[in-house]
Amino acid sequence: MTAADSPELALFASTTAAFLQKEAPLARVRELHAAGRSFDPTWWRRAAQLGWTALLVPEELGGGSVSGNGVTDLAMVAEQLGKTVAPGPLYPVSVVLTALAECADAQAHAAAIESLISGAVVASWAVCEPGRGWAPLQPTVTATRADFEARGAAGGYQLDGVKDRVEAGAQSALLLVVARCGDEVRQFLVPTDAAGVRVEPQQSVDLVKQYARVRFDGVVVDASAAVGSAAETAALIDRQSQIAQVLQCAEVVGVLQTVFDFTVQWALDRHTFGRPLASYQALKHNFADMKLWLEACRATTAAAVADVAARAPGAGLSASIAKSYVGEMAGRIVQCCVQMHGGIGVTWEHDLHLYLRRVTLYRSLFGTPEEHNLRVYAAENAGRYAK
């Protein structure tokens, strides 16, 4: 999503691509799946050393970007991840770092930020709930104010409820939990080894993206666990949602470009009746359609990344437009590529299915296309009636 318009950015892009091709090829993804693993912690620490985890954190907190805008740089990394459907907790860690670095009391969380940037610790965003769609500002998990003087603390909170679809939940040391505190929505940084926290693995359609259901049964945290004030939490969650959505769309663009490219090559190499498959008019029309959809996915994602990076007033709407369009068209494009491959395309041995699983998973995370269609419709109606 980011044009390599400087030597520094070009080096960062090439280093990222080379690292992923060497350390996280498709063969490695299959190996991790066979072993029942999500990602190698040592690999993640090396990825962090490349600067991935520091891009959304200001320099005064130990971070820094390459181009001057961490969102666009991170979108470029996400697009590269899509080319090999790489593992790793890039999105949950990035979202948690966004909240910690952008809240008013960021310095209070300096130790957690440092550990996340180094890759020594993994954290995830506990925002989704069982049986509910994308409603980050309507949690059912509760945070009750309580007095814990007996524990040597002036006060704190007790968390109760259930979150699910928590990425890398079993591999995370910290969870950023969205909860309702009276009439307010708050976020709390909760250690996964705290008393009352129970992490249960959930089945995932993806080979290496693992998720968990997390139960909070009377989990007690100090007041210092709150991330941001009550007044700023809604804006923080909106910002976190936008970043998660555009990074996901950027990765899907990387998936689509890769799948499209090797499908075109397959059609050029494969011959039938003495002619390349790509020479048949019906296939040419399909390729033209897929190319149009792919470039539309790239354009809507690039526009959303630019708006989120610039903190534009319509950034949330742009992210919803991208999530709606990319989520809807990605599966259609990959399914067309499966059909183009014929019989080999429907076998498990073909790498197409690794990509198909990733886009199928992402279609339902951080809001389905249908949910974002409704958001776009509501925004358009609100604008029309305001006039």
Side-chain angles (χ1 to χ4, degrees):
M1 296 297 109
T2 303
D5 53 3
S6 70
E8 295 80 10
L9 196 55
L11 177 62
F12 181 62
S14 63
T15 302
T16 297
F19 176 78
L20 289 169
Q21 290 167 7
K22 179 182 178 181
E23 302 289 341
L26 294 177
R28 179 58 178 156
V29 172
R30 289 186 182 273
E31 289 173 3
L32 287 169
H33 172 65
R37 300 170 62 194
S38 177
F39 62 91
D40 183 350
T42 302
W43 176 87
W44 177 244
R45 286 193 292 271
R46 291 203 302 272
Q49 290 171 1
L50 292 178
W52 296 0
T53 52
L55 294 172
L56 298 181
V57 180
E59 293 183 5
E60 58 267 25
L61 290 173
S65 61
V66 180
S67 68
N69 195 306
V71 175
T72 54
D73 293 350
L74 198 55
M76 182 276 295
V77 174
E79 187 175 359
Q80 294 293 334
L81 288 173
K83 294 182 178 181
T84 62
V85 287
L90 181 68
Y91 304 155
V93 169
S94 298
V95 169
V96 173
L97 279 169
T98 296
L100 297 179
E102 295 191 7
C103 66
D105 56 344
Q107 288 294 341
H109 305 289
I113 293 172
E114 181 181 358
S115 63
L116 290 171
I117 290 177
S118 70
V121 168
V122 171
S124 190
W125 193 24
V127 60
C128 298
E129 297 184 351
R132 295 173 62 108
W134 180 241
L137 294 177
Q138 299 173 18
T140 60
V141 169
T142 60
T144 307
R145 287 300 300 262
D147 189 13
F148 303 114
E149 290 185 2
R151 299 171 57 249
Y157 299 85
Q158 177 177 307
L159 274 62
D160 294 277
V162 182
K163 296 288 186 180
D164 71 351
R165 290 161 283 173
V166 180
E167 184 176 349
Q171 295 81 26
S172 297
L174 298 169
L175 297 176
L176 183 62
V177 184
V178 181
R180 179 162 296 283
C181 184
D183 295 330
E184 303 167 340
V185 177
R186 303 294 301 274
Q187 294 190 107
F188 301 89
L189 200 59
V190 181
T192 53
D193 61 358
V197 176
R198 186 170 47 167
V199 180
E200 304 168 352
Q202 287 184 299
Q203 187 174 3
S204 170
V205 69
D206 193 86
L207 292 191
V208 291
K209 288 284 187 179
Q210 295 183 359
Y211 293 81
R213 174 169 291 176
V214 184
R215 301 183 185 277
F216 302 91
D217 298 318
V219 178
V220 173
V221 295
D222 294 334
S224 60
V227 177
S229 65
E232 65 180 323
T233 297
L236 279 174
I237 291 176
D238 188 43
R239 174 74 172 168
Q240 294 164 231
S241 301
Q242 294 169 19
I243 288 175
Q245 289 156 6
V246 297
L247 290 180
Q248 185 187 90
C249 289
E251 182 180 345
V252 172
V253 169
V255 166
L256 298 180
Q257 186 65 66
T258 302
V259 171
F260 181 78
D261 287 345
F262 70 61
T263 302
V264 169
Q265 192 59 52
W266 162 265
L268 290 170
D269 294 341
R270 186 73 173 175
H271 284 65
T272 180
F273 300 108
R275 295 171 54 187
L277 283 177
S279 67
Y280 289 90
Q281 188 176 40
L283 271 65
K284 289 180 180 179
H285 289 173
N286 282 340
F287 277 122
D289 288 341
M290 286 193 291
K291 179 63 172 175
L292 178 65
W293 300 333
L294 168 57
E295 294 306 322
C297 287
R298 188 188 308 281
T300 52
T301 299
V305 169
D307 281 352
V308 173
R311 300 177 184 270
L317 178 60
S318 293
S320 285
I321 291 171
K323 188 68 172 66
S324 171
Y325 188 81
V326 174
E328 188 66 39
M329 300 309 300
R332 186 171 179 179
I333 293 171
V334 179
Q335 288 283 7
C336 283
C337 290
V338 170
Q339 295 300 318
M340 289 284 195
H341 279 77
I344 190 66
V346 297
T347 62
W348 167 238
E349 289 76 14
H350 202 285
D351 291 336
L352 271 167
H353 294 274
L354 279 68
Y355 295 97
L356 180 58
R357 284 168 176 263
R358 182 64 57 89
V359 300
T360 300
L361 171 70
Y362 281 176
R363 187 187 192 278
S364 62
L365 292 177
F366 306 124
T368 64
E370 293 78 11
E371 288 174 308
H372 284 285
N373 283 341
L374 292 175
R375 287 170 178 257
V376 174
Y377 176 76
E380 291 298 322
N381 269 352
R384 184 178 300 115
Y385 291 132
K387 295 177 181 178

